């Protein structure tokens, strides 16, 4: 009994939808590549070209699997799925021939050598090479900077999609009203920010480099960078609007995250590459207060210890741990962090020592009337050790002063 066409299509599952969409894209791209002013038309259809290139590996695999199935199961040649397969294959060959012809007319010998004697090996690679050749050819359509930006930034650029994904995280976390006394973000949001910050930064760097490469005069990049600090007022639709939206919220996130971490780690100032790792560590501390800051490629061992010392001292300065055991653990952690940062030098290390000296003086002079107290004339608990000692000695002096006051 013959199989009905509807049953054959159902057996293809979602692959029939992919081939239907591919047929429409191939038809449109074939018309672009075969037109007389094909370079101008490609400039207006970079998104279409990139869609075809991105889906091409899946399309090729689908066609090969479908061809094997048709032959093995003996599907009738006049069945709609079989006719669809043959039409997509014919259109694919036509698009490939047109792309090869356009590349042979525009590719220089030097660039041919870079890809081998036969040029790019796959249709997707040929289409992306064709995009590069058209952009390198210049000039842009029209004289308006915004039109040039739209040409250079197709909405389906992978880097633009990554920047937008990170920007959505930043907007969701930082667009809400700030409540006084409430944390700027939760631990789960801190983990999201830790993942989104490097992703957004890398994507934005790649997008600015793309603009630099194809806009030799720098007009488009300068134009967009002047506008990127303006708060978005409408839904972003074009490529440049998506870039501006992502860049604005990335800057907001960097400033807000840095402000939170600077307040918690003063006098140590977090550096830009350290922000994601610090966010992850900060969030993990709520589950494991004894967790050490890993000295990865971002931190040296001494730098990690310095950050740990600043965080532990800030926690002790804000609130005395409850219970003798908790206080003992808090001071032990601070001393372990100081041991780790013992050899660290520089302005931040000295500022941290000053903070410990002030802690010692304030705790050691707790019974001195305020009008008689001044850091210049106060005699710190621990004497010369507190004045001249290293981080570990200063932590021990601070611990002695705090425990004596508590007693």
């Amino acid at each position: 009994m013959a199989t009905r066409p509807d049953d054959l299509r159902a057996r293809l599952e979602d692959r029939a939808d992919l081939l239907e969409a591919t047929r429409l894209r191939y038809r449109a791209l074939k018309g672009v590549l075969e037109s007389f002013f094909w370079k101008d038309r490609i400039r207006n259809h970079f998104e279409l070209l990139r869609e075809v290139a991105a889906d091409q590996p899946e399309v090729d695999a689908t066609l090969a699997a479908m061809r094997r199935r048709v032959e093995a199961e003996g599907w009738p040649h006049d069945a709609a799925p079989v006719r669809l397969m043959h039409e997509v294959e014919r259109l694919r060959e036509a698009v490939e021939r047109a792309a090869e012809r356009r590349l042979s007319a525009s590719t220089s010998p030097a660039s041919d050598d870079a890809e081998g004697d036969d040029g790019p090996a796959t249709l997707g690679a040929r289409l992306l090479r064709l995009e590069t050749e058209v952009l390198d050819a210049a000039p842009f359509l029209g004289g308006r900077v915004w039109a040039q930006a739209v040409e250079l930034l197709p909405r389906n650029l992978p880097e633009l999609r990554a920047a937008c994904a990170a920007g959505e995280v930043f907007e969701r976390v930082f667009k809400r009203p700030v409540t006084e006394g409430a944390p700027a973000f939760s631990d789960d949001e801190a983990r999201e920010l830790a993942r989104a910050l490097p992703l957004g930064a890398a994507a934005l760097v790649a997008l600015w480099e793309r603009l630099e490469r194809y806009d030799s005069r720098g007009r488009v990049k300068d134009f967009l960078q002047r506008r990127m600090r303006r708060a978005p007022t409408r839904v972003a639709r074009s490529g440049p609007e998506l870039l501006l939206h992502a860049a604005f919220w990335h800057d907001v996130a960097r400033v807000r995250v840095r402000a939170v971490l600077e307040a918690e780690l003063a006098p140590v100032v977090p550096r830009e590459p350290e922000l994601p790792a610090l966010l992850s560590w900060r969030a993990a501390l709520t589950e494991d207060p004894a967790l050490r800051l890993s000295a990865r490629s971002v931190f040296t061992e001494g730098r990690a210890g310095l950050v740990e010392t600043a965080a532990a001292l800030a926690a002790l300065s804000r609130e005395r741990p409850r219970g003798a055991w908790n206080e003992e653990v808090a001071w032990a952690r601070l001393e372990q962090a100081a041991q780790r940062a013992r050899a660290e030098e520089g302005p931040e290390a000295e500022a941290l020592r000053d903070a410990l000296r002030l802690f010692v003086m304030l705790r050691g002079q707790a019974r001195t009337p305020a009008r008689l107290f001044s850091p210049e004339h106060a005699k710190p608990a621990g004497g010369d050790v507190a004045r001249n000692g290293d981080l570990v000695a200063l932590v021990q002096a601070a611990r002695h002063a705090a425990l004596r006051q508590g007693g």
Side-chain angles (χ1 to χ4, degrees):
M1 183 175 66
T3 306
R4 292 185 302 171
D6 290 345
D7 293 338
L8 293 177
R9 183 180 177 89
R11 288 162 67 182
L12 290 177
E13 299 174 346
D14 59 342
R15 288 179 291 181
D17 295 333
L18 172 65
L19 294 182
E20 288 280 9
T22 302
R23 175 169 61 179
L24 296 176
R25 290 173 184 157
Y26 278 165
R27 284 177 178 172
L29 187 56
K30 178 175 176 290
V32 169
L33 293 174
E34 292 179 350
S35 64
F36 185 77
F37 297 104
W38 63 275
K39 287 186 178 180
D40 291 343
R41 292 195 63 186
I42 282 183
R43 291 183 187 280
N44 290 327
H45 292 87
F46 281 143
E47 291 181 17
L48 170 64
L49 186 145
R50 282 188 160 271
E51 285 176 1
V52 173
D55 289 345
Q56 197 56 49
E58 185 179 1
V59 170
D60 287 341
T62 298
L63 286 173
M66 188 175 174
R67 195 180 305 111
R68 289 194 299 268
R69 189 168 185 178
V70 167
E71 294 172 356
E73 298 180 4
W75 290 15
H77 293 288
D78 59 346
V82 178
R83 292 201 308 271
L84 172 63
M85 179 189 73
H86 290 319
E87 185 177 2
V88 171
E89 288 177 334
R90 286 194 299 270
L91 287 169
R92 185 198 185 284
E93 292 174 0
V95 169
E96 189 163 26
R97 286 194 303 271
E100 288 176 351
R101 186 168 66 253
R102 298 309 184 190
L103 275 176
S104 64
S106 60
T107 305
S108 63
S111 57
D112 282 340
D113 293 342
E115 295 286 346
D117 295 336
D118 299 327
T122 64
L123 175 56
R126 291 188 184 99
L127 294 176
L128 293 178
R129 167 63 76 84
L130 197 58
E131 178 198 41
T132 301
E133 294 295 333
V134 171
L135 286 171
D136 283 335
F140 300 107
L141 274 176
R144 297 179 61 186
V145 176
W146 187 260
Q148 297 176 11
V150 171
E151 290 178 4
L152 289 173
L153 296 170
R155 289 173 299 178
N156 54 2
L157 277 173
E159 300 87 353
L160 191 54
R161 288 177 172 174
C164 290
E168 288 176 3
V169 174
F170 303 145
E171 183 176 11
R172 174 166 46 82
V173 173
F174 295 114
K175 193 174 184 178
R176 62 175 178 248
V178 179
T179 305
E180 186 175 356
F185 39 79
S186 66
D187 291 338
D188 289 338
E189 289 172 337
R191 295 184 183 94
E192 283 189 277
L193 292 170
R195 293 189 293 267
L197 278 170
L199 173 68
L204 289 172
V205 167
L207 290 169
W208 295 126
E209 288 178 349
R210 177 182 175 88
L211 292 176
E212 284 182 356
R213 175 180 177 183
Y214 297 121
D215 177 29
S216 57
R217 292 182 293 177
R219 294 176 59 202
V220 175
K221 182 180 179 181
D222 292 344
F223 174 76
L224 293 177
Q225 287 185 334
R226 287 196 301 269
R227 295 169 60 96
M228 61 182 265
R229 299 191 183 279
R230 302 179 188 176
T233 57
R234 61 181 182 180
V235 177
R237 291 186 173 86
S238 66
E241 289 174 329
L242 292 170
L243 171 60
L244 292 173
H245 184 275
F248 173 82
W249 285 108
H250 185 264
D251 274 355
V252 169
R254 287 175 51 253
V255 171
R256 295 283 295 278
V257 166
R258 180 181 286 277
V260 169
L261 293 177
E262 284 181 355
E264 295 180 353
L265 299 177
V268 175
V269 179
R271 301 164 185 168
E272 191 75 22
E274 297 171 351
L275 298 182
L278 289 174
L279 283 169
S280 298
W281 178 63
R282 176 185 182 275
L285 281 178
T286 59
E287 299 175 359
D288 182 9
L291 182 68
R292 309 297 299 274
L293 180 58
S294 176
R296 302 174 185 173
S297 58
V298 179
F299 296 97
T300 63
E301 183 70 15
R303 174 72 179 175
L306 203 66
V307 171
E308 281 187 353
T309 304
L313 179 60
L316 279 167
S317 300
R318 286 193 301 268
E319 183 180 5
R320 180 174 177 176
R322 297 178 181 178
W325 185 83
N326 286 336
E327 186 161 2
E328 185 68 24
V329 169
W331 282 107
R333 288 175 186 156
L334 178 57
E335 188 167 345
Q336 288 174 357
Q339 287 278 5
R340 194 178 183 189
R342 193 167 199 162
E344 195 73 5
E345 295 294 340
E348 290 181 324
E350 187 57 36
L352 189 54
R353 294 187 186 99
D354 288 340
L356 281 164
R357 293 185 185 105
L358 183 58
F359 185 99
V360 171
M361 288 188 287
L362 291 174
R363 293 298 178 93
Q365 300 291 335
R367 296 182 177 84
T368 303
R371 62 185 176 82
L372 299 178
F373 175 78
S374 68
E376 292 81 8
H377 299 93
K379 182 178 180 181
D384 293 338
V385 172
R387 281 194 296 270
N388 305 316
D390 63 10
L391 275 176
V392 177
L394 285 166
V395 168
Q396 293 170 349
R399 177 182 183 180
H400 176 74
L403 294 178
R404 187 179 63 178
Q405 179 190 355

